[in-house]
Amino acid sequence: TTEHTPPRTPTEHLLATTWATVLGTEEIGIHDNFFDLGGDSILSIQVISHARRAGLQLTSKLMFTHQTIAELASVVRHAEPETTGGDVAEAVAGRVELTPVQRWFFDGHTTDPDRYAMSVHVALAPDTDPAVLARALEAIVDHHDALRMRYAPDGEGGWAQEYGERPDGLLTVRDIPADGAEAALHDAADEAQRALDLRGGALVKGVFLRTAGADTPPRLFLAVHHLVMDGVSWRILLEDLATAYAQLAEGRPADLGARTSSYQHWARRLTDHVRSGALDHETGYWRKASAGAVDLPCDGPASSTYGEVAAESVVLDRETTEALLHRAPAAFRTQINDVLLGALGRVLNTWAGGPVTVALEGHGREELFDDVDLSRTVGWFTTIYPVTLVVPDGPWGTALKAVRKTLRKVPGRGIGYGALRYLREPDHPDRVALAAAPPPRISFNYLGQWDSADGGRGLVRDRLDALGADQAPGENRPHLIDVVAAVSDGELRIEWMHAPSAHAPSTVRRLADDFATALRQIAAAAGN
């Protein structure tokens, strides 16, 4: 804890305003630590985006090395604020290199690759006009190049992607009857998810849902193919959708400002970077990280499809979540992701009888190149890389210190693993060796905080339960267990998705409960 010191200079005021907008915290002192306030790597990208629009040239490296406003203000550079007036960067066209995560997708999802969406289901402002919303969605697809991709077999057993035109029919309207509303909602979502078409370029499908009853607000279900969408991109898309809707509703043209670097530019730079040998020094680390993983105990056959997936859920109350987000990072000099992985590692170690290797997901928007700005670029940038969680017994302070040390040793926050595994020449020894290693059986993904920055006063008023099925039922899952955590409405929610044929619900329920118990212990220890 630090004594509250308000901003003193224009730069400090601007930074404080930006932090407050992203973190949803009204009063921020210049000596408050970003990560102690609940910040994480995903929120730092949002801070960078807002700051750059205001004329401050922030980077992720600066955010992590200078974690208070006072420190940042002394090193941040100033530039001209972004002004309205339409897109500055030229529209892109032509073929786009597949990125590592896209190649991972096509390698493992062969049954029905068209049906692999990320979707949101949200409540809208009561007076939302579907016609204006449709125009706003068109403006989003026009602005964000990746949403206009289309795909085709490349003739060599793989796939190629290139930019196309915006398709018609982005938004449909469905009236939901009062009787049987839940089934009708799922039917509408299922129709949108099944309508995604890689070859035809239909990567975005929205449904405006009007439910009978004067007190029921309209809803939006929006499905976007995962090949062009990730967790950070969702935040960008929903923020821009609200901006475009407000502009159009007032009779003004939709203006989302200047584009950041294109997905095409990033994919080309990353491919060239890898093939130049720039990441070769990481090969030894990733070969070792990929080998010798402790296998997960199974209650049945070690296989799983999306059609059989089940979930065990845990929700931690606001007080515990507050402690994990705001007190634990300061108490243990760490970050929320380290806390979650420390608890997870101890639970898995006890279950499996040794340290478990986890497929860890990161946002992937690493600052490798000075001329690439991905802070407001929509696309799939996710990194997936193996990390063995060695968590010693004893006090949580010692355990979390060990986890933090392990995670800080990961080179480049994990981007090199997928880059070497998928972007090296097909016959390169490094690519062959990494491809031969068995993948982890369990994954972990912390999606960050999903509470609305405007307090639910704008276009999007609330996040609602998921609808339909984002993946094709017959598709094989890459992991037997997926652990996904996110903060929504001030509560930490953790989903353990699994196949009942491989792990009995009672087994996963016990793991989920043990994980929650470990997190409560850490929260309690942080308060002492």
Side-chain angles (χ1 to χ4, degrees):
T1 58
T2 58
E3 182 178 349
H4 178 78
T5 304
R8 303 158 300 184
T9 67
T11 299
E12 289 178 350
H13 275 284
L14 192 53
L15 286 169
T17 300
T18 302
W19 284 25
T21 299
V22 172
L23 294 171
T25 302
E26 291 187 4
E27 290 193 11
I28 294 179
I30 62 172
H31 300 300
D32 292 337
N33 185 290
F34 178 74
F35 297 98
D36 293 352
L37 293 171
D40 54 46
S41 60
I42 293 177
L43 290 176
S44 72
I45 294 175
Q46 292 181 263
V47 168
I48 291 166
S49 172
H50 284 262
R52 288 181 176 180
R53 284 185 158 185
L56 297 179
Q57 293 185 339
L58 274 184
T59 64
S60 290
K61 183 177 181 179
L62 287 178
M63 289 287 296
F64 277 87
T65 56
H66 304 281
Q67 298 181 6
T68 69
I69 287 174
E71 294 174 356
L72 268 181
S74 66
V75 297
V76 69
R77 292 187 299 168
H78 291 256
E80 288 297 320
E82 289 185 9
T83 58
T84 58
D87 297 329
V88 173
E90 292 184 5
V92 292
R95 189 161 175 168
V96 181
E97 293 278 351
L98 292 173
T99 60
V101 72
Q102 291 179 316
R103 294 176 186 272
W104 168 86
F105 169 79
F106 282 120
D107 276 1
H109 299 78
T110 57
T111 301
D112 186 0
D114 289 291
R115 185 163 185 172
Y116 196 82
M118 291 190 82
S119 63
V120 294
H121 177 209
V122 295
L124 301 174
D127 58 350
T128 301
D129 184 335
V132 177
L133 186 64
R135 292 171 57 207
L137 192 56
E138 290 174 352
I140 296 302
V141 175
D142 287 340
H143 181 79
H144 293 293
D145 307 310
L147 300 179
R148 301 192 303 278
M149 295 287 193
R150 58 186 62 219
Y151 300 82
D154 63 3
E156 301 176 359
W159 289 76
Q161 70 177 341
E162 64 179 7
Y163 292 112
E165 299 298 321
R166 166 170 53 84
D168 296 327
L170 296 177
L171 185 72
T172 59
V173 179
R174 289 282 292 268
D175 289 308
I176 305 300
D179 295 333
E182 183 174 355
L185 289 169
H186 280 284
D187 286 345
D190 185 72
E191 183 178 328
Q193 290 156 332
R194 285 188 289 106
L196 299 179
D197 178 7
L198 296 180
R199 292 172 176 81
L203 305 183
V204 181
K205 287 292 181 180
V207 188
F208 183 82
L209 302 162
R210 290 188 296 217
T211 307
D215 296 331
T216 304
R219 308 178 183 199
L220 172 66
F221 178 80
L222 191 56
V224 182
H225 202 286
H226 207 333
L227 279 169
V228 296
M229 182 57 52
D230 59 19
V232 175
S233 297
W234 265 127
R235 290 165 169 83
I236 298 169
L237 188 152
L238 292 175
E239 181 179 313
D240 283 358
L241 186 64
T243 298
Y245 181 88
Q247 292 168 337
L248 293 168
E250 294 173 357
R252 296 182 287 139
D255 182 358
L256 300 174
R259 288 185 176 99
T260 47
S261 300
S262 71
Y263 199 72
Q264 182 184 54
H265 184 52
W266 163 255
R268 169 44 57 193
R269 291 299 307 276
L270 182 61
T271 301
D272 290 345
H273 189 64
V274 173
R275 294 185 178 177
S276 74
L279 298 180
D280 285 1
H281 63 284
E282 296 185 10
T283 301
Y285 176 92
W286 291 119
R287 286 195 182 193
K288 184 178 179 180
S290 303
V294 174
D295 207 2
L296 294 184
C298 286
D299 302 324
S303 62
S304 172
T305 63
Y306 286 104
E308 63 173 321
V309 70
E312 295 292 334
S313 303
V314 171
V315 179
L316 299 184
D317 60 49
R318 292 188 176 206
E319 182 178 356
T320 303
T321 301
E322 172 79 12
L324 293 172
L325 288 176
H326 300 294
R327 293 203 295 273
F332 300 114
R333 304 315 310 159
T334 189
Q335 297 169 19
I336 180 59
N337 207 48
D338 306 346
V339 171
L340 296 172
L341 287 169
L344 179 65
R346 179 168 287 184
V347 169
L348 295 179
N349 190 321
T350 301
W351 178 43
V356 172
T357 301
V358 174
L360 187 60
E361 294 194 23
H363 61 70
R365 296 167 187 252
E366 308 305 338
E367 294 168 341
L368 298 179
F369 316 109
D370 291 339
D371 63 338
V372 177
D373 174 10
L374 303 175
S375 60
R376 288 193 58 78
T377 304
V378 166
W380 195 7
F381 295 90
T382 303
T383 51
I384 306 172
Y385 54 96
V387 173
T388 300
L389 299 176
V390 180
V391 185
D393 295 331
W396 278 110
T398 302
L400 296 180
K401 182 178 180 181
V403 172
R404 182 182 68 216
K405 184 177 180 181
T406 296
L407 295 176
R408 298 304 178 271
K409 287 183 178 178
V410 175
R413 287 198 280 261
I415 194 171
Y417 173 76
L420 291 165
R421 164 71 177 80
Y422 291 102
L423 298 183
R424 259 305 189 182
E425 296 81 358
D427 58 348
H428 193 281
D430 294 344
R431 179 167 179 167
V432 173
L434 292 177
R441 296 293 189 92
I442 183 169
S443 73
F444 176 79
N445 188 12
Y446 175 57
L447 296 173
Q449 300 180 55
W450 279 95
D451 294 333
S452 175
D454 65 4
R457 297 183 298 272
L459 174 68
V460 175
R461 298 300 173 92
D462 194 15
R463 287 177 61 87
L464 304 174
D465 292 339
L467 294 175
D470 281 335
Q471 294 88 14
E475 194 75 73
N476 289 322
R477 296 171 63 227
H479 310 107
L480 295 179
I481 297 177
D482 295 299
V483 184
V484 180
V487 176
S488 179
D489 195 26
E491 297 177 327
L492 178 63
R493 301 167 185 267
I494 307 156
E495 299 279 345
W496 288 69
M497 289 171 283
H498 64 100
S501 61
H503 295 102
S506 59
T507 298
V508 183
R509 181 73 255 169
R510 184 176 69 252
L511 293 170
D513 289 341
D514 289 348
F515 186 37
T517 297
L519 290 173
R520 293 187 184 102
Q521 291 173 352
I522 294 173
N528 294 333

